[in-house]
Amino acid sequence: MSKLQNMRLVEIPQFRAVSSGIRSLEEIFFIENSFNAWLDAHRNLIKDHIFEPQDFLWHENDDINRSTWIVAIKDNVTENDTAPYSIVEFPGGMFLVATCDESDNNDLNETVWEMRQWIDRNEVFEYGDLPGMCNMPNPDGIIDKALGIAQQQIFLPIKFKEENT
């Protein structure tokens, strides 16, 4: 069995982002004046990425109807540029990452369970202080369409156990 069980550990640096604020998924993605629609109209403010998407979504207290989506912005972007949305400073941190099929609840739940088990059994790391997050590694959907799944990356926060610091 693989030591990381097909997961990986990453460090995400601190970055500035525009935030949806706490909203329902419908308000973030699906209504006419959604945060997603605002992002589409303001792509010039968003930081380009080479490999990994620079956005994360999480659910406040695991409540899917209270979600936050942050997207990395360019260094010169101001609060005036992002109104009515706020700029936040994402603190960065260490995360355990695995990929699942977002459209398959069993796969999603099994992936998160396996990640939690890995953290619980680990002698160096424990669950961190940030929320668990997710993003879509192929936001344009071309690869997912070819695969017949909706790839979602799950990011669970980790930190060093006290005795390892």
Side-chain angles (χ1 to χ4, degrees):
M1 179 182 295
S2 154
K3 290 181 181 180
L4 282 175
Q5 296 174 264
N6 299 316
M7 296 176 255
R8 61 192 171 112
L9 299 176
V10 300
E11 286 185 76
I12 298 173
Q14 180 178 351
F15 65 90
R16 294 174 67 236
V18 60
S19 173
S20 66
I22 300 172
R23 302 186 186 290
S24 70
L25 290 179
E26 184 172 323
E27 293 171 303
I28 292 174
F29 292 105
F30 304 115
I31 63 172
E32 184 178 340
N33 293 322
S34 68
F35 181 65
N36 189 44
W38 182 89
L39 286 172
D40 285 343
H42 295 86
R43 285 284 160 209
N44 62 310
L45 306 177
I46 306 306
K47 193 170 238 180
D48 292 327
H49 71 278
I50 295 171
F51 176 65
E52 289 285 343
Q54 295 182 340
D55 68 297
F56 298 98
L57 177 94
W58 64 84
H59 310 303
E60 303 287 335
N61 300 316
D62 293 326
D63 181 352
I64 199 164
N65 291 314
R66 293 178 38 79
S67 298
T68 301
W69 186 17
I70 63 170
V71 181
I73 54 175
K74 295 177 181 173
D75 293 338
N76 62 342
V77 174
T78 68
E79 292 275 349
N80 287 338
D81 299 323
T82 63
Y85 300 103
S86 299
I87 294 176
V88 298
E89 192 75 32
F90 183 77
M94 296 185 300
F95 293 85
L96 178 65
V97 184
T99 304
C100 66
D101 181 355
E102 178 187 53
S103 59
D104 180 343
N105 280 338
N106 290 332
D107 187 52
L108 193 150
N109 291 331
E110 181 179 335
T111 300
V112 171
W113 183 84
E114 288 175 5
M115 294 172 76
R116 292 300 300 250
Q117 292 298 305
W118 187 91
I119 294 169
D120 290 345
R121 290 191 306 265
N122 195 278
E123 296 177 7
V124 177
F125 300 102
E126 62 187 352
Y127 202 85
D129 301 321
L130 296 170
M133 310 179 304
C134 65
N135 70 18
M136 305 301 280
N138 305 298
D140 62 9
I142 295 169
I143 293 172
D144 289 354
K145 186 175 180 182
L147 290 172
I149 66 170
Q151 290 185 92
Q152 181 181 84
Q153 296 185 123
I154 307 294
F155 293 76
L156 295 185
I158 57 172
K159 62 184 180 182
F160 290 110
K161 289 185 176 179
E162 296 267 336
E163 63 267 14
N164 293 308
T165 57

